[in-house]
Amino acid sequence: MKRVILLSGLLVLVLAGWAGLARAQEATTGSIVGTVTDPGGKPLAAATVKILSNQGAKMAMTDADGRFRVRYLTPGAYNLSASLPGYITAECPDIPVRLLSRVRIEAVLTPGASEKIEVVGSVPVIDLYSTTTGATISSSVMNSIPIGRSFSSTLALAPGVVESGIDRSNPSIAGASGLENTYIVDGMSIGNTGYGSAGSYSILYGSMGTGVNYDYIQEVQVKTGGYEPEYGEALGGFINMVTKTGTNRFSGSIFTYLQLDNLETKRVQSDHWLLSSHTTGYSSKDYGFEAGGPIVEDKAFWYAAFDPTYTTRTRKTAPQVTAANGFTNTVDINRTIYNYAANVKWVAHPNHTLTLSAFGDPSVGENGPQRSSAVAVKDPTTRYTEIKYGGNNVVGHWNGELLPSWFIEGTVAHHVDKFDEDPASNAPQGSDWRDGLKRYGGVGYYADNKSENTQYQLRLSNFVQAGGEHHLRYGVGYQDIGYEETANYTGPTGIQLQVGDEIVETTSGYVWNAYSAESFDYLQAWGLRSGNLGAKTRADYIAAFFSDTWNPAKYLSIMAGIRYEEETLKGTVTKHTWKDNWSPRFHVILDPTRDNRSKLSFAFGRYFGKVPNDLAVRAMSEEVTYVAFYDMGMLDMSDPNNPQGLRPEAQLMDPYVFGNEQTRIDPESKLSYADEYVVAAEREIIPSVTVGVTYLRRHLGRTLEDVQDSLYSDQLQGGHFGEYVITNPGPPNNPEAKRDYDSVTLKIQKHMQDNWQMFASYSWSRLWGNYEGHFRRDNGQSDPFITSAFDFPYLLDPDVWGYSSQSGYLPNDRRHVFNTYGSYRFGNGFDLGLRFRVQSGIPITKLGYNYVYGVESEILLEERGASGRTPTTTSLGLHVGYPIVIPAMASSMGIEALEVSLDVFNLLNQQKAFYVDEMGEIG
């Protein structure tokens, strides 16, 4: 039914469209726009504008005002020519078109013989049509500087992007946590529907693949702020990637990349007493090919790539574990990633293009020590496990002209990713804290999940004249989302628990901890569950937008727009719809020097956070969990890998019970949102060199979280745990969630010209508040909108939660970040690239033990950041490359060159602590 409503709404939009010159908003391409005039500035109508690339030519005619627009250009370099009988033809070569950019060209035709040619001056490099902040990284940049072999390695090149505590694939952008970004490839979302991460995800392993091949990427755009109304779903950043396609020329490469552990320096090891293992080496080997070419010249093209990658991480038992237990293990963690990609592009008509793409990264970790904790037990095989993960994607894209006045861009796509784990042993995981720390048993918690998202998008736009030029953009999108998860613990099922007057039988395994009290020893067993361990959930997400960009004068642009988002989340027990989420957007751009080389801009936007389906699993399905306590004097611990005697008579008390009452959704609750303000200035000081300054403020206006009203101090005395409610936390029980991000960025960029390019930025930022977001860095919790942040009424229990209620420097606060990278190509083809980054540390705060939940790092024991900061770190990388031309191979086999390159990371061999133990208390 909702799809019918969606398509009906789209039909209304189309039928209500404006007559006049129209163009669609490109989601995967860029455009060239401009004017053709005579030397006196008089517009020249009916001039022919030709855009030539390696995929053929596109033609346009200027209108009565001398304007032209050429749309749907694949990112790359283009040559433009403008001609009119009686005038000398003007040419502008090597126009760089970036993803989602609009390049303005002003061609001047001089009266004279038309067969002559005049070359237009340098192309302006400032995009005067966008207020977006961030960076765009092309494949040529990726190949000329030292970065890792994944798209995630490019993200930190953009100002405002820092490490989040999860992994490089999920960075913190503009102060948000690492699970608040949106990842788009060729117009489709590749995010995990359970957690919002890039590709497949596990709360234990982090991102496990991204669903996209590194060698398949043509360009990556990292949007950190100033988004247009077309973009939503994220409180953090918007990562947009476009992939390579074939051209009129057959080309390809066969390659291998080797990262060898015996080329590493010796790693400095931490002596932290809780650390179970160390990485002593890492190697990666991939062998692949890519190829592309024409099917029909200028009409149809193909591209294909395959790049299997084999990784080995060597881990060794930490010395402190060896000292306490008398054993040492060294193991190899082996994984294989089968990256693949293919697409076909068909120019069915000069005004219609169809593209079909498929890409993915199905992967496997062989049965073995996939968990690093395997070396922390005497027999590592008890913690062996096999994992299967990765994603597969298919996307169809169409852009074209429906009628002379209407243009359209449509996408239909399907994304699926999964994570499956199969433990070799079913022994419960255990830790004995009575005399040091000894570890036993199997892997403990493990979970299988599958994420699916079928997506439909339609976007249209028009240009009309009314007191200046108006660019109207409008569109709709629908996502049919599925997510299923089965969570379990290794260990025996069928354990009987005394819960009040009832006996409950468990359906899961458990994790145990042994402790010493004043007069006896006790065992805590947690993770015990009853009922169904799996949940199949669904979600419907609908979005629509409309905007009007008005140009009352040539060098002034004013955009006002609105975005609507609605989401229905469906668990196995209940469902809920969040409606009326309206996002206003307002942008102003001014070229004060009126030469296309200066920009002053202001942007305001409201962004709503999309709710991942983990909330439907945890709060809208069946999930009853127990924490039980046993007298160890009544247990048989002769085999600590498999404790015996966990019976009701050995219980010290009734267990803590969580989830026995269905979580309630507050009918008045609203989605989380953040308001953003961006002020920026940019100037092209000399051809191809720009300098700029940007101020960005991101204010969290509201969040969605789970709360309950039973005091922590009362529960320590045996009080009843309250009912979980999904709501917007605030007084009188809780403080309002606060997260304010302010940053000032200075940047200078030298675009590729005269064989060299460079980008440098310095960012000062401040992240202040009492709420991190979807991911808690302080305790490592991945539960968007249902973290433990407000699980207890903080304001009613100030002796316990006083510091947690107060605002301060949040864990992702990095005050200073300097980032620069660049490359130079010598006349003989030798490439030299550098990358240098300096970043200040993050706050350190002592964290206390939550006795009710039985976990550390939950309660703030001091003001945020009171224990200082982690060290400032620097990183210098070097890239060298050289093409070896072999004439005999070129003439006989068509092989142009053999390219050899070397990347060296951390050239200065700096090894400092990036993580500091914040546990002020342990159980």
Side-chain angles (χ1 to χ4, degrees):
M1 180 62 182
K2 288 191 174 180
R3 295 182 191 177
V4 174
I5 295 173
L6 178 70
L7 295 176
S8 299
L10 175 65
L11 181 61
V12 171
L13 285 171
V14 172
L15 294 177
W18 295 71
L21 185 62
R23 101 182 235 290
Q25 169 68 19
E26 298 97 341
T28 61
T29 57
S31 60
I32 297 176
V33 302
T35 57
V36 178
T37 65
D38 66 12
K42 178 183 176 181
L44 296 178
T48 299
V49 177
K50 182 178 181 180
I51 305 294
L52 186 65
S53 74
N54 54 19
Q55 290 186 340
K58 283 180 174 276
M59 310 292 289
M61 298 287 287
T62 57
D63 62 15
D65 296 315
R67 288 188 297 260
F68 69 89
R69 303 176 185 88
V70 182
R71 55 196 177 272
Y72 307 132
L73 299 177
T74 301
Y78 291 81
N79 296 326
L80 176 149
S81 66
S83 60
L84 185 67
Y87 291 85
I88 297 175
T89 298
E91 286 192 350
C92 185
D94 297 325
I95 302 172
V97 175
R98 296 293 186 87
L99 177 61
L100 303 180
S101 71
R102 279 159 281 184
V103 182
R104 181 188 289 180
I105 301 295
E106 295 184 350
V108 177
L109 302 188
T110 303
S114 59
E115 65 270 13
K116 293 183 179 180
I117 294 177
E118 292 183 345
V119 178
V120 178
S122 62
V123 178
V125 295
I126 294 178
D127 188 350
L128 294 171
Y129 296 89
S130 173
T131 60
T132 296
T133 61
T136 300
I137 302 99
S138 66
S139 58
S140 61
V141 172
M142 299 180 207
N143 292 330
S144 60
I145 64 173
I147 59 174
R149 294 279 298 152
S150 69
F151 88 86
S152 60
S153 301
T154 69
L155 305 184
L157 298 177
V161 179
V162 297
E163 181 265 338
S164 70
I166 305 176
D167 50 42
R168 289 185 301 179
S169 298
N170 299 278
S172 169
I173 299 180
S177 74
L179 294 181
E180 298 176 46
N181 307 315
T182 295
Y183 301 86
I184 301 294
V185 178
D186 285 349
M188 72 172 295
S189 172
I190 62 166
N192 176 271
T193 60
Y195 295 93
S197 66
S200 58
Y201 188 79
S202 160
I203 64 171
L204 295 175
Y205 292 85
S207 275
M208 298 294 290
T210 59
V212 60
N213 183 358
Y214 170 87
D215 292 286
Y216 187 39
I217 299 171
Q218 175 67 26
E219 203 160 87
V220 177
Q221 184 184 53
V222 184
K223 289 175 173 280
T224 60
Y227 316 146
E228 296 84 354
E230 291 91 323
Y231 305 104
E233 307 181 34
L235 295 173
F238 199 94
I239 292 90
N240 196 6
M241 289 166 276
V242 64
T243 58
K244 296 177 181 178
T245 58
T247 68
N248 276 327
R249 177 175 177 270
F250 173 78
S251 62
S253 65
I254 300 173
F255 53 83
T256 180
Y257 293 90
L258 306 175
Q259 179 180 344
L260 305 177
D261 56 0
N262 55 11
L263 296 180
E264 290 184 356
T265 187
K266 183 178 180 180
R267 299 188 181 214
V268 174
Q269 308 294 352
S270 169
D271 60 357
H272 189 274
W273 70 283
L274 276 178
L275 201 63
S276 62
S277 65
H278 295 302
T279 296
T280 59
Y282 176 81
S283 64
S284 176
K285 304 174 183 178
D286 60 298
Y287 313 90
F289 76 88
E290 62 169 345
I295 300 173
V296 178
E297 187 174 358
D298 292 345
K299 295 293 184 182
F301 313 92
W302 65 274
Y303 177 85
F306 183 57
D307 182 25
T309 302
Y310 309 89
T311 68
T312 299
R313 184 179 298 274
T314 302
R315 297 192 71 90
K316 184 178 181 180
T317 307
Q320 48 272 34
V321 176
T322 299
N325 298 276
F327 63 81
T328 298
N329 295 307
T330 301
V331 298
D332 288 336
I333 303 173
N334 296 314
R335 296 173 186 171
T336 304
I337 304 99
Y338 297 100
N339 299 298
Y340 72 89
N343 66 51
V344 176
K345 181 177 181 179
W346 177 34
V347 183
H349 181 275
N351 294 325
H352 294 273
T353 301
L354 298 171
T355 305
L356 180 65
S357 302
F359 52 93
D361 60 348
S363 310
V364 62
E366 66 179 28
N367 183 35
Q370 298 297 330
R371 301 279 188 100
S372 60
S373 65
V375 298
V377 293
K378 188 173 183 178
D379 181 5
T381 62
T382 62
R383 295 195 177 182
Y384 273 21
T385 183
E386 181 185 45
I387 57 175
K388 296 179 181 179
Y389 57 95
N392 294 284
N393 310 271
V394 61
V395 53
H397 195 77
W398 164 46
N399 55 57
E401 181 179 342
L402 290 176
L403 295 173
S405 61
W406 289 333
F407 291 81
I408 188 169
E409 185 171 7
T411 301
V412 177
H414 182 71
H415 165 81
V416 60
D417 66 71
K418 70 172 185 177
F419 180 87
D420 293 331
E421 185 167 21
D422 184 14
S425 167
N426 195 40
Q429 184 186 106
S431 300
D432 191 335
W433 301 81
R434 292 175 296 175
D435 182 18
L437 173 59
K438 296 180 175 61
R439 298 173 176 88
Y440 301 98
V443 298
Y445 177 83
Y446 66 101
D448 300 337
N449 66 65
K450 182 180 180 181
S451 158
E452 292 186 278
N453 190 352
T454 303
Q455 306 158 45
Y456 309 86
Q457 289 188 57
L458 280 168
R459 297 179 177 182
L460 303 96
S461 72
N462 302 86
F463 285 91
V464 299
Q465 302 299 314
E469 184 179 74
H470 292 262
H471 180 194
L472 306 178
R473 301 197 300 265
Y474 44 98
V476 291
Y478 170 69
Q479 297 180 23
D480 182 10
I481 295 169
Y483 180 76
E484 56 185 271
E485 180 177 285
T486 301
N488 201 351
Y489 291 83
T490 54
T493 62
I495 294 174
Q496 293 186 335
L497 296 172
Q498 184 76 48
V499 184
D501 296 331
E502 298 182 2
I503 297 293
V504 174
E505 195 165 279
T506 64
T507 55
S508 73
Y510 64 95
V511 172
W512 61 266
N513 290 281
Y515 300 108
S516 291
E518 292 184 0
S519 58
F520 65 97
D521 293 346
Y522 68 94
L523 182 143
Q524 173 207 62
W526 55 276
L528 295 157
R529 296 182 61 183
S530 63
N532 193 346
L533 301 180
K536 293 184 178 181
T537 68
R538 307 292 306 177
D540 295 307
Y541 173 82
I542 297 175
F545 71 90
F546 178 88
S547 68
D548 178 7
T549 301
W550 176 40
N551 295 96
K554 185 176 180 181
Y555 300 105
L556 176 63
S557 176
I558 303 171
M559 189 282 290
I562 193 75
R563 178 182 177 87
Y564 177 78
E565 296 172 70
E566 179 178 312
E567 184 174 6
T568 299
L569 208 59
K570 307 170 186 178
T572 60
V573 176
T574 186
K575 67 178 182 178
H576 186 81
T577 300
W578 287 277
K579 300 179 179 180
D580 301 326
N581 302 294
W582 296 94
S583 305
R585 311 282 172 90
F586 180 74
H587 300 171
V588 179
I589 300 173
L590 173 68
D591 178 1
T593 58
R594 301 190 176 188
D595 60 358
N596 298 328
R597 300 182 188 277
S598 298
K599 180 170 74 173
L600 299 176
S601 63
F602 167 80
F604 166 77
R606 173 165 292 184
Y607 311 133
F608 282 92
K610 184 179 174 186
V611 181
N613 279 50
D614 176 57
L615 186 144
V617 172
R618 295 285 314 280
M620 305 172 75
S621 304
E622 295 178 294
E623 184 184 77
V624 184
T625 305
Y626 307 85
V627 179
F629 300 86
Y630 295 90
D631 183 348
M632 291 193 68
M634 301 180 66
L635 303 181
D636 178 3
M637 298 294 293
S638 57
D639 179 8
N641 287 312
N642 191 15
Q644 300 293 315
L646 275 66
R647 295 184 295 271
E649 55 267 27
Q651 290 179 219
L652 294 170
M653 52 187 276
D654 271 9
Y656 290 118
V657 185
F658 306 98
N660 57 321
E661 296 179 357
Q662 185 62 47
T663 299
R664 181 169 57 87
I665 311 293
D666 180 357
E668 302 299 320
S669 65
K670 303 292 184 182
L671 289 182
S672 302
Y673 77 85
D675 285 337
E676 179 187 79
Y677 304 85
V678 181
V679 180
E682 191 173 5
R683 173 66 182 172
E684 185 176 358
I685 53 176
I686 58 176
S688 80
V689 178
T690 62
V691 295
V693 58
T694 301
Y695 168 71
L696 185 149
R697 174 173 175 79
R698 190 79 67 84
H699 166 72
L700 184 68
R702 177 180 66 217
T703 195
L704 193 69
E705 270 289 352
D706 62 335
V707 304
Q708 60 87 41
D709 59 6
S710 177
L711 271 64
Y712 177 85
S713 53
D714 287 349
Q715 292 178 51
L716 294 181
Q717 306 302 319
H720 175 68
F721 194 86
E723 173 194 28
Y724 280 121
V725 179
I726 305 295
T727 188
N728 304 119
N733 285 7
N734 280 294
E736 292 184 357
K738 296 181 180 179
R739 188 179 72 193
D740 290 324
Y741 176 80
D742 294 273
S743 73
V744 177
T745 296
L746 306 174
K747 68 175 183 178
I748 180 170
Q749 183 168 7
K750 165 66 169 64
H751 296 262
M752 175 56 81
Q753 191 176 47
D754 300 326
N755 294 326
W756 72 284
Q757 59 188 335
M758 182 271 292
F759 180 91
S761 67
Y762 164 74
S763 294
W764 172 93
S765 64
R766 175 180 181 267
L767 181 58
W768 181 268
N770 59 12
Y771 179 69
E772 292 186 63
H774 297 187
F775 174 78
R776 288 191 62 177
R777 183 181 186 131
D778 55 7
N779 68 359
Q781 186 181 13
S782 301
D783 279 315
F785 297 115
I786 47 172
T787 71
S788 57
F790 298 108
D791 280 8
F792 299 88
Y794 286 3
L795 296 180
L796 304 184
D797 222 349
D799 291 341
V800 178
W801 302 104
Y803 292 121
S804 299
S805 301
Q806 297 173 9
S807 291
Y809 296 115
L810 290 171
N812 284 326
D813 177 70
R814 289 193 186 272
R815 193 60 49 83
H816 308 282
V817 178
F818 173 76
N819 196 23
T820 185
Y821 57 89
S823 67
Y824 183 82
R825 169 159 287 192
F826 294 85
N828 60 358
F830 180 82
D831 271 329
L832 176 65
L834 292 171
R835 181 185 177 192
F836 182 60
R837 183 179 177 92
V838 181
Q839 61 181 14
S840 58
I842 58 175
I844 302 172
T845 307
K846 291 180 181 178
L847 303 173
Y849 181 79
N850 186 321
Y851 185 82
V852 175
Y853 284 173
V855 293
E856 292 83 6
S857 303
E858 281 281 329
I859 302 172
L860 271 67
L861 302 179
E862 61 184 4
E863 293 183 354
R864 300 175 189 271
S867 291
R869 287 180 177 264
T870 59
T872 295
T873 58
T874 63
S875 177
L876 175 64
L878 172 69
H879 167 88
V880 293
Y882 184 71
I884 302 173
V885 179
I886 305 174
M889 295 179 65
S891 60
S892 63
M893 303 174 62
I895 298 176
E896 295 182 352
L898 173 65
E899 292 195 13
V900 180
S901 64
L902 173 68
D903 290 318
V904 182
F905 301 95
N906 193 21
L907 191 62
L908 301 178
N909 192 29
Q910 183 184 89
Q911 301 191 56
K912 292 185 178 180
F914 63 90
Y915 169 77
V916 175
D917 172 28
E918 297 179 297
M919 292 183 189
E921 297 176 340
I922 61 171

